[in-house]
């Protein structure tokens, strides 16, 4: 067992302080300690992207991240995206969700892309989502959804 | 390791990290992006070792270019390398390999120093570092040394780094005039596959002749390695006049690729030959 540390971070825009084992996986910290169950565990090995979160704005897999590595960082989870993020409606309209396990990671990956490139090409979307696996064979609709969300005029994403 | 010893370190200064390595050596595992280590621990039943997180040390991160070289801080992530205009312009194979290291989420965490120190024979960036003639900057509490990367890996997952040392930077000399480069990774699928074979080639030309050649390979042996016999065979020659059998023979002198979960030795050998032909403009 590690000695616990006092972890301070900004989580979904709010300052958070918690006492935690620094070697605890961030995915477990989120889901089990903080009750944020939107991030899913698929493979637990950084292959599937279901646990994707935004660390200082960059998409990372929370299953490969240690709690101690969050010290002073800004973390955003699927719960931290605004409810009117155009990605949500676009995913619903396009039928981009089937079982739903991959969806939070897909949306986080798409948000990370659109924050950097508001009008990405289909190829760029494919690259940005290449680390997110869907096992219900929904890739075409997922790509359609991200393209549709990118077309929504907004000055406010993120 | 003594009972009750500290299990987690996250220093802000390199000197502090080196002091920790000086006192605890191999008992403390350095960690940066964690994209290899976290997977290994998940698959292992052994307890997680004491960790030295390098993520808060600013001086280990960043890219510094001068007319002769670029020096890359060890914890610079792959995504930074892939997007950096200096790397894209001066060392384009590194921008390519960094962009093929796992997925975007992996590239945002995985570091160049970690890719070297993890010492996987299938790692994506080492062939490129070998082809460019990289040198590693190793630091310990007792000083620094700069070593040629081509001699760094001594056996499967073995390196010349001492238990008290950290890799702090990777230096790439600027390629000579009239140099062409060629990189290709062959995996099962395009995105985030582990390579079956990868080749990075750096060729210096004089007219139609190659006067200097470096071929860095991944996944053909127990370590990422230069193909010395192949380079010797190619140097001084016009590749268009090279006998295909001679290339294959040179590759056979350099490597005996094995069968494993990802591919077969015979397939790897054939792909290596094809890649070399591609690098020489013969494919």
């Amino acid at each position: 067992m590690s000695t616990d540390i006092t972890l301070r971070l900004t989580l979904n825009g709010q300052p958070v302080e918690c006492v935690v084992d620094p070697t605890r996986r961030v995915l477990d910290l989120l889901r089990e300690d903080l009750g944020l169950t939107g991030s899913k565990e698929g493979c637990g090995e950084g292959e599937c992207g279901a646990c994707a979160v935004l660390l200082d704005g960059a998409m990372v897999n929370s299953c490969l991240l240690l709690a101690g590595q969050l010290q002073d960082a800004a973390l955003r989870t699927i719960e931290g995206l605004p409810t009117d993020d155009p990605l949500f409606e676009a995913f619903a309209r396009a039928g981009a969700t089937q079982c739903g396990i991959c969806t939070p990671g897909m949306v986080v990956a798409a948000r990370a892309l659109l924050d950097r490139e508001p009008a990405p090409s289909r190829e760029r979307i494919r690259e940005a989502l290449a680390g997110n696996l869907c096992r219900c064979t929904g890739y075409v609709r997922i790509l359609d959804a991200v393209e549709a969300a990118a077309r929504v005029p907004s000055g406010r994403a993120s | 390791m003594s009972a009750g010893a500290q299990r987690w370190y996250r220093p802000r200064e390199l000197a502090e990290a080196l002091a920790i390595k000086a006192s605890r050596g191999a008992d403390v595992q350095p960690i940066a992006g964690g994209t290899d280590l976290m997977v290994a621990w998940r698959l292992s039943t052994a307890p997680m070792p004491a960790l030295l997180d390098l993520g808060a040390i600013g001086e280990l991160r960043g890219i510094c270019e001068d007319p002769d070289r670029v020096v890359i801080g060890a914890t610079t992530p792959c995504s930074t390398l892939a997007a950096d205009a200096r790397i894209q312009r001066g060392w384009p194979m590194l921008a390519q390999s960094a962009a093929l290291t796992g997925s975007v989420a992996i590239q945002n965490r995985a570091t160049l120093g970690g890719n070297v120190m993890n010492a996987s024979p299938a790692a994506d960036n080492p062939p490129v570092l070998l082809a460019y003639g990289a040198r590693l900057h190793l630091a310990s509490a007792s000083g620094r040394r700069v070593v040629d990367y081509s001699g760094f890996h001594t056996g499967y997952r073995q390196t010349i780094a001492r238990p008290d040392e950290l890799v702090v930077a990777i230096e790439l000399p600027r390629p000579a005039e009239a140099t062409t480069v060629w990189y290709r990774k062959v995996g099962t699928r395009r995105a985030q596959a582990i390579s079956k074979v990868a080749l990075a080639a750096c060729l210096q030309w004089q007219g139609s002749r190659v006067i200097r050649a470096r071929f860095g390979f991944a996944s053909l042996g127990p370590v990422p390695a230069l193909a010395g016999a192949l380079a010797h065979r190619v140097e001084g020659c016009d590749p268009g006049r090279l006998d295909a059998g001679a290339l294959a023979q040179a590759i056979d002198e350099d490597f005996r690729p094995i069968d494993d979960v990802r591919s077969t030795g015979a397939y790897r050998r054939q792909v290596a030959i094809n890649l070399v032909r591609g690098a020489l403009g013969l494919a």
Side-chain angles (χ1 to χ4, degrees):
Chain A
M1 275 300 289
S2 288
T3 313
D4 288 354
I5 61 164
T6 301
L7 178 65
R8 293 181 188 85
L9 72 151
T10 304
L11 178 59
N12 294 331
Q14 300 294 319
V16 168
E17 185 175 307
C18 53
V19 176
V20 64
D21 176 345
T23 65
R24 189 158 173 73
R25 296 188 311 168
V26 168
L27 179 59
D28 299 327
L29 173 74
L30 291 172
R31 290 181 56 85
E32 294 173 17
D33 302 353
L34 300 174
L36 296 174
T37 55
S39 306
K40 306 303 182 197
E41 176 151 18
C43 67
E45 296 176 14
E47 295 277 350
C48 78
C51 66
V53 295
L54 301 178
L55 176 64
D56 295 323
M59 179 178 61
V60 303
N61 294 312
S62 62
C63 72
L64 300 183
L65 198 62
L66 295 168
Q69 295 178 311
L70 292 180
Q71 193 68 268
D72 304 324
L75 190 71
R76 178 183 258 200
T77 67
I78 186 70
E79 292 90 346
L81 268 57
T83 52
D84 63 347
D85 190 308
L87 283 163
F88 292 128
E89 185 169 343
F91 267 65
R93 282 185 181 276
T97 289
Q98 190 168 325
C99 87
I101 289 288
C102 76
T103 308
M106 290 286 181
V107 171
V108 165
R111 176 43 57 213
L113 172 67
L114 295 181
D115 281 351
R116 281 181 170 74
E117 294 180 42
S121 66
R122 186 89 170 183
E123 187 56 29
R124 286 289 296 138
I125 297 171
R126 290 177 67 99
E127 283 173 19
L129 269 55
N132 294 77
L133 302 185
C134 167
R135 298 291 83 173
C136 305
T137 322
Y139 292 111
V140 171
R141 290 178 176 193
I142 290 167
L143 299 174
D144 290 345
V146 179
E147 271 187 343
R151 284 194 297 269
V152 174
S154 81
R156 55 121 214 113
S158 134
Chain B
M1 186 178 58
S2 59
Q6 194 168 334
R7 308 285 296 146
W8 173 256
Y9 301 91
R10 194 170 196 261
R12 291 182 175 277
E13 303 295 333
L14 177 59
E16 200 184 327
L18 296 177
I20 292 161
K21 281 303 268 178
S23 67
R24 297 195 58 185
D27 279 349
V28 171
Q29 170 66 54
I31 182 170
T35 51
D36 284 312
L37 292 173
M38 292 290 284
V39 177
W41 292 327
R42 180 182 169 81
L43 300 175
S44 164
T45 53
M48 196 181 270
L51 300 179
L52 169 59
D53 181 39
L54 304 176
I57 304 174
E59 69 181 286
L60 287 181
R61 193 179 294 249
I63 298 169
C64 184
E65 185 193 33
D66 72 27
D68 299 326
R69 66 184 69 83
V70 65
V71 179
I72 299 162
T75 65
T76 306
C78 286
S79 54
T80 300
L81 296 172
D84 189 272
R86 294 161 296 182
I87 300 294
Q88 290 171 352
R89 197 166 47 236
W91 296 269
M93 290 194 293
L94 184 58
Q96 286 178 269
S97 62
L100 288 173
T101 306
S103 62
V104 173
I106 299 295
Q107 289 156 26
N108 283 333
R109 291 292 298 165
T111 69
L112 190 57
N115 207 215
V116 165
M117 293 300 282
N118 187 57
S120 163
D124 290 318
N125 300 289
V128 168
L129 302 182
L130 289 165
Y132 281 127
R135 306 203 307 161
L136 301 185
H137 296 215
L138 302 174
S140 71
S142 54
R144 292 197 180 213
R145 59 180 175 142
V146 179
V147 299
D148 276 333
Y149 181 53
S150 60
F152 184 69
H153 298 288
T154 53
Y156 181 71
R157 299 268 171 150
Q158 302 291 309
T159 76
I160 61 169
R162 300 191 310 260
D164 66 333
E165 282 181 316
L166 295 174
V167 60
V168 294
I170 297 95
E171 174 183 331
L172 301 179
R174 191 176 296 283
E177 293 289 309
T179 294
T180 59
V181 296
W182 195 92
Y183 173 74
R184 176 90 189 268
K185 167 182 170 178
V186 177
T188 302
R189 61 194 283 267
R190 254 184 72 194
Q192 64 173 12
I194 296 173
S195 72
K196 296 170 187 280
V197 185
L199 167 63
C202 208
L203 305 172
Q204 192 185 351
W205 298 80
Q206 197 171 67
S208 63
R209 285 189 312 126
V210 174
I211 55 171
R212 181 105 172 83
R214 293 177 76 96
F215 298 94
F217 276 102
S219 301
L220 284 189
V223 299
L226 285 170
L230 176 64
H232 185 72
R233 186 69 194 81
V234 167
E235 282 175 353
C237 295
D238 175 342
R241 295 166 185 270
L242 274 171
D243 172 41
L247 287 179
Q249 194 178 15
I251 291 169
D252 289 340
E253 278 180 51
D254 284 317
F255 301 106
R256 293 277 161 195
I258 61 166
D259 296 350
D260 68 7
V261 291
R262 277 188 285 280
S263 193
T264 64
Y267 178 81
R268 289 184 157 113
R269 175 181 179 274
Q270 186 59 54
V271 170
I273 292 167
N274 295 348
L275 293 183
V276 168
R277 289 179 56 78
L280 292 172
L282 303 174

